[in-house]
Amino acid sequence: DAGVTQSPTHLIKTRGQHVTLRCSPISGHKSVSWYQQVLGQGPQFIFQYYEKEERGRGNFPDRFSARQFPNYSSELNVNALLLGDSALYLCASSFNYYNQPQHFGDGTRLSIL
Amino acid sequence: DAKTTQPNSMESNEEEPVHLPCNHSTISGTDYIHWYRQLPSQGPEYVIHGLTSNVNNRMASLAIAEDRKSSTLILHRATLRDAAVYYCILRAPNYGGSQGNLIFGKGTKLSVKP
């Protein structure tokens, strides 16, 4: 079975631009979470969606937004990119949103110039 | 959220057992102890989780102290592929709640020598 897939794998943007990152969960998983991982740190929680509804939001500015589609895939959008947004963006899926292990993709490496 | 404390780094020899400690003195009675690991250039990978009793699976064993204030992830025979950052995470069951996110610390970087 296919794992969590994320696209693109790498992306280079400049300050002020907008970016959309995409995630396809494992088949049968209804929850998708997004995390940001800067170099040398553990992943930090951004959003969680379950059945197309936002179930949780981390401490990130409003420039970050996300949505989940009827097929449970998800997009993370970041507006007005800053140099500090350079990071690995990870998507994780799970069957439910509260007690099942999360399965991670290998992430999108976003570099801001 | 309850926090965990792990050593920054540990070294092991290939084919020897590895014991990765985690302290969580403020754990609540309903928090589960989860372990994830992250290999270089990959996303985190679920390893194991438990509540009170010791747990075993094909990847590792989890030993939980009787007072639940500490736990140990045991890799029975380390291989070079086990070199990774290991994260110990407390997770509330949060049934019907609004958030199921994982709170990662810095983890323990495990190096395995051939």
Side-chain angles (χ1 to χ4, degrees), chain A residues 35 37 40-45 48 55-57 88 90 97-102 104-106, chain B residues 36 38 41-44 46 87 91-102 104-106:
Chain A
Y35 294 81
Q37 186 174 25
Q41 304 291 321
Q44 300 298 306
F45 171 70
Q48 183 175 49
R55 284 289 183 170
R57 174 185 287 252
L88 180 68
L90 294 159
Y97 63 88
Y98 50 83
N99 70 348
Q100 293 297 307
Q102 295 190 5
F104 286 79
D106 287 336
Chain B
Y36 284 73
Q38 188 171 20
S41 302
Q42 294 186 22
Y46 167 77
Y87 297 99
R91 195 176 185 198
N94 205 27
Y95 297 112
S98 62
Q99 289 198 21
N101 52 289
L102 299 171
F104 289 83
K106 290 191 175 181

